[in-house]
Amino acid sequence: MSVDTGLDPRRWGALAVIAAAQLLIVLDSSVVNIALPSAQAELGMGDAARHWVVAAYTLTFGGFLLVGGRLADMVGRKKVFLVGVVGFALMSLVGGLATGPVMLPVARAAQGVFAALMAPAGLALLATAFQDPKERGKAFGVFGAAVGSGMAVGMVLGGVLTEIGSWRWCLLINVPLAALVLVPALRLLDDSRGSGVAGYDLPGALTATAGVGSLVYGISQAETQGWTHPTTLGFIAAGVVLLAVFLVVERRSRRPIMPLRIVVDRVRGAGYLIVFLAGAALLAFYLLLAYYLQLVRGYSPLLTGLVFVPSGLGIFIGSLSAGRLLAKITPRVILVSGLALGAVGLAAFGTLDPASGMWSLIVPAQLVGGLGIGAALTTVTKATLDGVPPEDTGVASALTNAMRQVGGAVGVSVLNAVALFATVGTGPEALTDGYVVAFLVGAVLFAVAAVVALFATAPRRATVPA
């Protein structure tokens, strides 16, 4: 005899749909990396246009996240999620069929906009579907596995598709994958919205989008132009000023796009900082290890992608394990331990040399670091959404994604600059020395995040409305 628990029996199916959509978003930020040389040659792109294939997606995704999150709270999370999935698939098709050097970056920029609708709406749907603490931990474990392993899956998939087919399939593959998300989403997802959200904060939307976009663009320019170039400094400064204006607007607005009560909470604020630091270290690690494997070791795109399997596997296992442990162990213990393990994994690459053993260093270090990173990402994502009022779930989800995206952009630019600065001379030895220093800086970022988690994420003494 079945017992009616009052819980929607479709919630686990909805979780699978949301996790699949998030995996699609995250892997698409890395799947084209290995395919870029082939796309550049076929479409006749210059180096600047090639850079925009990656930067355009990052820029629009990061810039429109807060807008997407608030729209989900206002219009309905399922509606915004479905629009994001359909638009993402269509723009992937356009990019995969690109015929010139402009068409591909434009399609990638549009992909980023639709991803910015899909990501916060999906995470908000997850947060509202799972209210039981024990189930919520497991649900965030599955979601964390999709987020954390998505980058590694993208590297592997990009290598495989480029090697056996064409760079175009790195984008065209999104069409059938999006269909696999869309069809069950129509049946399994329940729409929800913030009951207390009325009207739209247009000044906040404009200043937030322009501020985050300008900041991400300026940081991305640092990688190619240098940190002291006027373009880099100008856009970063403009981004900081616009975000300061945004905070003033939000403080005075009657219906802010980002209520400041979300970020002033101590535990949640620390969580956003941890997401930023972990995103910075992780994204830069993937990029620099790919450089090492191809430029120093001479690996093919396919082999380079396959080397990232241990990292993705470790993150997947760590995320699911953390989801189960959250009901039994204090989240702070899991978070601190996971970040510390991530630091150990990256620090192991401080011993890297041009002939380092695959099975004695590269594989086990990725596996160990991945286990910790997966556990940490799952726990911190849950921490940034716990206690958020229902009407603000979408924008709180957007902030989590935005901090990860901006952190990744900062990490790639800063750690790449560190690697270049530490590279003295030419040849495999010099390149490896530069990467080693950058990996060690990444390990420090994880260690700093662990310290933040230790001192700033102690349990709240009482449940207080955020």
Side-chain angles (χ1 to χ4, degrees):
M1 181 178 178
S2 61
V3 178
D4 184 8
T5 62
L7 299 174
D8 188 346
R10 299 175 299 166
R11 65 193 183 282
W12 295 106
L15 169 61
V17 169
I18 295 166
Q22 188 66 32
L23 178 63
L24 187 63
I25 293 169
V26 176
L27 71 83
D28 215 68
S29 64
S30 64
V31 71
V32 300
N33 287 353
I34 295 177
L36 271 180
S38 300
Q40 182 180 12
E42 183 175 331
L43 298 178
M45 288 190 292
D47 289 341
R50 180 188 68 180
H51 171 73
W52 271 106
V53 174
V54 176
Y57 181 83
T58 303
L59 181 64
T60 54
F61 183 36
F64 282 89
L65 273 167
L66 282 178
V67 175
R70 201 36 140 194
L71 279 175
D73 288 334
M74 286 180 54
V75 178
R77 289 148 191 162
K78 180 178 179 178
K79 294 185 184 71
V80 171
F81 179 82
L82 295 176
V83 169
V85 173
V86 172
F88 191 86
L90 289 175
M91 291 304 103
S92 297
L93 179 63
V94 171
L97 299 177
T99 57
V102 176
M103 189 173 174
L104 181 56
V106 169
R108 289 282 290 167
Q111 271 187 297
V113 174
F114 286 108
L117 298 179
M118 199 188 338
L123 187 52
L125 286 167
L126 174 65
T128 54
F130 290 88
Q131 296 295 325
D132 178 77
K134 186 176 181 179
E135 285 194 349
R136 194 176 236 217
K138 292 179 180 178
F140 275 102
V142 174
F143 184 84
V147 174
S149 62
M151 191 66 66
V153 171
M155 299 293 286
V156 176
L157 188 62
V160 171
L161 293 174
T162 303
E163 192 83 10
I164 66 176
S166 163
W167 66 267
R168 296 182 182 276
W169 281 105
C170 293
L171 292 166
L172 294 176
I173 193 68
N174 290 334
V175 178
L177 291 178
L180 291 176
V181 171
L182 181 64
V183 173
L186 291 168
R187 183 173 62 88
L188 295 172
L189 297 182
D190 279 332
D191 206 359
S192 65
R193 68 180 70 189
S195 58
V197 181
Y200 197 74
D201 175 19
L202 183 59
L206 293 175
T207 51
T209 302
V212 174
S214 180
L215 186 63
V216 172
Y217 178 72
I219 293 167
S220 69
Q221 288 300 295
E223 188 177 354
T224 55
Q225 303 283 358
W227 284 96
T228 58
H229 193 276
T231 301
T232 303
L233 295 175
F235 275 96
I236 290 177
V240 171
V241 171
L242 284 167
L243 289 176
V245 172
F246 167 68
L247 292 177
V248 173
V249 169
E250 297 309 278
R251 187 175 181 180
R252 297 179 177 180
S253 176
R254 293 183 178 179
R255 43 180 185 269
I257 190 174
M258 187 196 76
L260 296 182
R261 61 179 176 270
I262 295 175
V263 294
V264 297
D265 177 86
R266 172 179 54 81
V267 174
R268 198 174 302 125
Y272 289 134
L273 177 57
I274 291 167
V275 169
F276 176 89
L277 293 171
L282 186 58
L283 208 65
F285 166 74
Y286 280 126
L287 179 67
L288 295 174
L289 184 58
Y291 284 167
Y292 166 81
L293 294 170
Q294 294 186 77
L295 300 179
V296 176
R297 304 292 283 260
Y299 285 6
S300 67
L302 175 59
L303 189 54
T304 297
L306 291 175
V307 170
F308 287 93
V309 169
S311 177
L313 182 62
I315 291 174
F316 186 81
I317 295 172
S319 298
L320 295 182
S321 300
R324 292 182 176 276
L325 291 172
L326 279 169
K328 306 173 184 178
I329 302 176
T330 304
R332 184 168 63 154
V333 173
I334 301 174
L335 185 55
V336 173
S337 301
L339 292 168
L341 207 56
V344 169
L346 254 69
F349 282 92
T351 64
L352 197 69
D353 63 53
S356 289
M358 188 61 63
W359 296 103
S360 61
L361 175 61
I362 296 175
V363 169
Q366 284 193 85
L367 188 59
V368 169
L371 287 169
I373 292 167
L377 286 175
T378 292
T379 309
V380 75
T381 301
K382 181 177 180 295
T384 58
L385 289 174
D386 281 348
V388 175
E391 65 269 19
D392 296 330
T393 308
V395 72
S397 304
L399 274 171
T400 303
N401 280 283
M403 294 305 290
R404 185 184 302 114
Q405 194 71 14
V406 175
V410 172
V412 165
S413 296
V414 172
L415 268 68
N416 190 50
V418 168
L420 291 173
F421 180 79
T423 301
V424 180
T426 58
E429 291 279 357
L431 286 173
T432 303
D433 289 344
Y435 299 143
V436 162
V437 174
F439 290 141
L440 290 175
V441 172
V444 170
L445 292 179
F446 271 114
V448 171
V451 173
V452 172
L454 179 63
F455 290 103
T457 63
R460 300 174 178 89
R461 293 184 179 180
T463 302
V464 179

